[in-house]
């Protein structure tokens, strides 16, 4: 199972980083074409936006995996460990619910745009392909939040004791 998660994390990292890199590269190409060769390409803006948005949204799963999400923990740090445990369980359950919400309603949007045959403005990309990031992101977030929920339940709040011990060592 560890090999699966390692491969899954690798694919997430490469996909997210690759899309961001390609998006920036397309923007650079557009700038060179516009200002050096005086030949603006209309597709550059649209395609680069989709790549950067996709890379960023897939990156939210990577950030969740690595605990790099923005969080405000001033009040959280004041709680006793039992309350921290309950708040964390609640937060992860809300995260799972949000992921399921994205799967359901994002899937509905993808289905609607597929049936209606909507296309993007400049390039004519079928919008159901563009919007398919929503259920995909919902799936990735649901999966990551379920793992976090499982780890929190399995750990039974011991992570805060270890964190407290680390902070005492760091403070000297």
């Amino acid at each position: 199972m560890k090999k699966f998660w390692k491969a899954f994390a690798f694919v997430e990292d490469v996909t997210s980083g690759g899309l961001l890199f390609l998006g920036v590269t397309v923007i650079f190409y557009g700038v060179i074409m516009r200002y050096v060769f005086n030949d603006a390409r209309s597709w550059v803006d649209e395609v680069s936006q989709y790549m950067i948005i996709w890379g960023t949204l897939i990156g939210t799963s990577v950030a969740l995996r690595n605990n790099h999400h923005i969080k405000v923990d001033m009040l959280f740090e004041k709680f006793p460990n039992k309350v921290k445990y309950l708040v964390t369980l609640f937060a992860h359950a809300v995260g799972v619910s949000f992921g399921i919400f994205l799967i359901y309603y994002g899937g509905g949007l993808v289905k609607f745009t597929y049936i209606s045959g909507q296309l993007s403005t400049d390039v004519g990309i079928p919008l159901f392909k563009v919007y398919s990031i929503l259920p995909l992101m919902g799936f990735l977030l649901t999966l990551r939040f379920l793992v976090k929920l499982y780890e929190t339940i399995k750990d039974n709040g011991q992570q805060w004791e270890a964190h407290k011990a680390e902070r005492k060592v760091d403070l000297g």
Side-chain angles (χ1 to χ4, degrees):
M1 195 66 163
K2 282 191 174 195
K3 284 184 179 181
F4 167 77
W5 287 112
K6 198 170 186 174
F8 187 73
F10 177 76
V11 169
E12 262 182 336
D13 291 341
V14 168
T15 304
S16 177
L19 284 168
L20 289 170
F21 176 77
L22 286 172
V24 170
T25 302
V26 169
I27 291 171
F28 181 71
Y29 166 78
V31 168
I32 297 297
M33 291 303 292
R34 176 176 291 155
Y35 294 108
V36 175
F37 297 106
N38 201 24
D39 184 21
R41 304 292 174 149
S42 64
W43 60 269
V44 167
D45 290 337
E46 187 174 318
V47 170
S48 64
Q49 285 174 4
Y50 295 151
M51 287 181 175
I52 289 173
I53 290 169
W54 270 62
T56 302
L57 291 178
I58 293 171
T60 59
S61 176
V62 174
L64 181 59
R65 177 188 75 215
N66 296 332
N67 292 321
H68 289 170
H69 271 287
I70 296 171
K71 54 186 169 187
V72 179
D73 59 356
M74 283 177 41
L75 180 62
F76 184 79
E77 289 298 321
K78 305 281 185 210
F79 291 150
N81 287 347
K82 182 68 174 168
V83 175
K84 288 180 183 178
Y85 178 72
L86 294 173
V87 167
T88 302
L89 288 178
F90 176 74
H92 292 329
V94 169
V96 169
S97 301
F98 178 70
I100 292 169
F101 173 87
L102 280 175
I103 292 169
Y104 182 78
Y105 287 102
L109 180 62
V110 169
K111 181 180 176 183
F112 173 76
T113 54
Y114 177 77
I115 290 170
S116 64
Q118 294 181 29
L119 302 173
S120 66
T121 309
D122 289 334
V123 183
I125 298 171
L127 285 179
F128 78 90
K129 291 180 182 179
V130 174
Y131 294 152
S132 65
I133 188 61
L134 294 174
L136 174 63
M137 184 186 144
F139 172 75
L140 292 174
L141 286 178
T142 300
L143 189 63
R144 289 291 176 200
F145 274 116
L146 285 172
V147 168
K148 293 283 186 189
L149 189 61
Y150 170 76
E151 289 172 349
T152 302
I153 292 170
K154 181 180 164 191
D155 183 61
N156 201 20
Q158 297 303 311
Q159 62 193 8
W160 295 291
E161 289 298 326
H163 180 67
K164 207 182 281 185
E166 283 176 17
R167 287 185 58 191
K168 283 184 183 176
V169 170
D170 288 343
L171 295 175

